[in-house]
Amino acid sequence: MTKEQIEYGSHTIEFELKYSDRKTLGVKILPDTSVYVTAPTDLPLCKIKENLAKKASWIIKQKTYFLNFDTTEVSYQIKSGYAVHYLGRQYKVMVQLAAENEVNYNGNLFLITVKNKEKAQAVFDQWLKEKAMTRITEIAKPIIRKFGESFFMPKEIFFQDMPKRWGSCTIKDKLIFNPKLIHTPKRCIEYVVMHELCHMIHKHHNDNFFKLLTQMMPDWEKRKAKLDGYL
């Protein structure tokens, strides 16, 4: 596999090129916006680039769609009187000095007790990340089971801080989720999980992908609209 690129107006489209015994040119846009091209072994590079130039508008449109699936920057400060979102609800923050570093929540309040108030942000961030991995996994399990009734199920899911992505499905069907999803409502998390599961069947956003997504989650558009407008 080699890396190539073409120019289209003000855009530079980079792509991974692989040759195979197929008879036609195949183009895939993955959720991370990377472009993969599979070409017949006897097709010259100049012809490959010529064909891609004809598809350039579509490629850019698909990449833009994925970029629109980006996260809104989630930022918060852990100080008494401030607020933070958790599973779609807003919680007030209270920081107190204590002998142990702990995070507890009750009603609409997050109580963070720390030995040093300067460490409150780090203590809460670590707690929230661990909580996110546990809670998002719990939310994902029934969605994955539903998907597995018709298709195969991933054995596990992974978490990674991604400044511009809520989730990702790699070319090897590894599902990765952003812990920051924990700030959003449960319905939004369920949508992101199903979205990435559908990418295990259809890697790029074509009619087949959206038909499958609609089949598996008929109200996905409402969920996506809520996610897009959140935070």
Side-chain angles (χ1 to χ4, degrees):
M1 190 173 288
T2 60
K3 291 186 178 181
E4 303 289 347
Q5 66 181 43
I6 61 170
E7 302 295 328
Y8 181 76
S10 60
H11 298 274
T12 298
I13 300 175
E14 298 179 341
F15 60 94
E16 298 277 353
L17 175 61
K18 179 182 178 181
Y19 290 97
S20 74
D21 57 0
R22 63 180 294 146
K23 295 181 179 179
T24 57
L25 191 72
V27 182
K28 288 184 178 181
I29 319 298
L30 298 190
D32 63 1
T33 73
S34 57
V35 181
Y36 283 80
V37 176
T38 307
T41 53
D42 58 349
L43 190 63
L45 181 60
C46 61
K47 289 293 184 182
I48 294 172
K49 291 186 175 183
E50 183 179 314
N51 287 333
L52 281 182
K54 295 177 181 179
K55 297 176 179 286
S57 178
W58 173 81
I59 292 172
I60 292 169
K61 182 179 178 180
Q62 295 301 306
K63 287 168 70 73
T64 299
Y65 179 93
F66 280 116
L67 290 173
N68 287 340
F69 193 54
D70 289 354
T71 64
T72 302
E73 182 61 28
V74 180
S75 61
Y76 56 86
Q77 286 185 301
I78 298 304
K79 294 181 179 179
S80 292
Y82 284 58
V84 62
H85 284 85
Y86 178 76
L87 287 175
R89 289 183 58 193
Q90 189 178 61
Y91 290 79
K92 293 180 181 179
V93 172
M94 180 179 292
V95 180
Q96 293 181 347
L97 290 173
E100 299 294 335
N101 294 332
E102 292 183 345
V103 178
N104 293 284
Y105 64 100
N106 185 32
N108 67 340
L109 177 70
F110 269 118
L111 175 61
I112 300 99
T113 57
V114 289
K115 300 175 185 178
N116 182 343
K117 286 191 175 183
E118 292 183 0
K119 301 293 185 180
Q121 184 82 40
V123 168
F124 183 80
D125 287 349
Q126 181 61 34
W127 176 89
L128 187 64
K129 188 171 184 178
E130 293 173 0
K131 194 72 174 179
M133 292 188 289
T134 300
R135 192 70 183 93
I136 292 171
T137 299
E138 292 173 351
I139 293 171
K141 282 182 178 179
I143 303 298
I144 292 172
R145 281 197 298 269
K146 177 183 177 181
F147 189 82
E149 292 174 359
S150 302
F151 305 97
F152 53 88
M153 296 189 297
K155 293 182 179 179
E156 60 182 321
I157 61 176
F158 301 86
F159 293 90
Q160 179 180 320
D161 289 321
M162 296 180 282
K164 295 184 178 181
R165 302 288 306 159
W166 287 122
S168 177
C169 176
T170 71
I171 196 169
K172 294 184 178 180
D173 294 332
K174 180 179 180 180
L175 299 187
I176 305 171
F177 297 102
N178 191 335
K180 290 180 180 178
L181 266 174
I182 198 64
H183 294 286
T184 70
K186 179 183 177 182
R187 287 172 55 80
C188 295
I189 297 173
E190 291 172 337
Y191 160 68
V192 174
V193 172
M194 184 60 79
H195 184 109
E196 300 306 337
L197 284 167
C198 289
H199 276 310
M200 296 175 66
I201 309 301
H202 302 292
K203 292 299 182 186
H204 53 284
H205 290 130
N206 55 21
D207 288 342
N208 289 331
F209 170 83
F210 289 112
K211 285 179 182 177
L212 177 59
L213 183 56
T214 301
Q215 173 191 336
M216 301 305 298
M217 185 173 280
D219 65 342
W220 70 266
E221 291 180 272
K222 291 181 179 179
R223 295 174 186 247
K224 183 179 186 300
K226 189 173 185 67
L227 179 65
D228 290 344
Y230 204 73
L231 300 179

